[in-house]
Structure formats: structure tokens, C-alpha cells
Amino acid sequence: RRWLVGRLAHTQSRQIAAVLSGFVDRIQGGAVLPDEVRSELQALQKALAREVHAVTCQQAILLNHCWLSPGEAAALSAAVDARLDDRRSAGPRALLLEVARLDAAAELG
């Protein structure tokens, strides 16, 4: 079960989290022009949205899998959802929320 959830929830979000962390460091260091902030955040949003979309497509397949009972499929799908939302392990939905917050702050100035 753990292996299957890990495979279904496998994303590049740790790498994206590292890019986001470096980006925030560059902002704090003054190495990013204000005009560039929103465009870079939007690129990160797009990358994270693709990650979430890929996993949700896998979840749809999982929920209709002929070898799993509906209860097993639902439990596995819920475990995948938890991984997507987990802030500690750089879940892509959690990161997407963080990037949206940064983008809103950048828009407000």
C-alpha cells in the first residue's frame, strides 16, 4: 500500500520547493527585480498545477481499477490526497497554496 501511494503521489515538488526557496532567498537579497517576481511565481504555479493534475489523473484511474474494491481504492486515493496536501513533505497542493500567497502579496506590493 505504501509503495502504491508513493508511486501515485510521486511528483517533482521537492525540486520545485528547492527552486521556490532559492527564489525567496533571491528576493530577500534584492537580486530579483519587482517586475520579475510575479512572472516567476506564475511559472512556479503552472509547474505545480501540472504536478497536481498528473496525480489527480492517476487517482481517477485508481478509483476505477478493476483489481481493487471500491473501499480500497477510496482509501488509497485519500492517502494520495494527504500526500498532495502535506506541507512537511513538499506536497504540490501545499506548495501551490504558498506560491498563491506569495503572488497575492507581490500583487499588493
Side-chain angles (χ1 to χ4, degrees):
R1 181 174 191 248
R2 183 182 299 193
W3 178 84
L4 184 58
V5 169
R7 295 298 299 161
L8 292 173
H10 178 72
T11 64
Q12 303 298 316
S13 60
R14 286 190 187 273
Q15 291 87 345
I16 296 170
V19 170
L20 177 60
S21 177
F23 179 61
V24 170
D25 288 345
R26 288 183 12 239
I27 290 171
Q28 290 174 339
V32 179
L33 296 173
D35 297 343
E36 298 171 339
V37 172
R38 296 218 49 228
S39 65
E40 289 200 37
L41 287 172
Q42 289 168 354
L44 287 170
Q45 282 179 317
K46 287 178 185 176
L48 287 164
R50 281 192 303 269
E51 295 289 321
V52 171
H53 178 72
V55 173
T56 55
C57 288
Q58 292 296 318
Q59 281 180 292
I61 293 169
L62 171 71
L63 289 170
N64 295 306
H65 199 285
C66 63
W67 290 348
L68 297 171
S69 71
E72 288 174 311
L76 288 170
S77 181
V80 170
D81 270 335
R83 296 273 300 267
L84 290 174
D85 296 328
D86 188 0
R87 290 181 62 145
R88 289 176 289 131
S89 67
R93 278 197 300 232
L95 285 175
L96 191 56
L97 180 61
E98 194 61 35
V99 170
R101 286 181 185 142
L102 289 170
D103 188 46
E107 183 178 10
L108 294 173

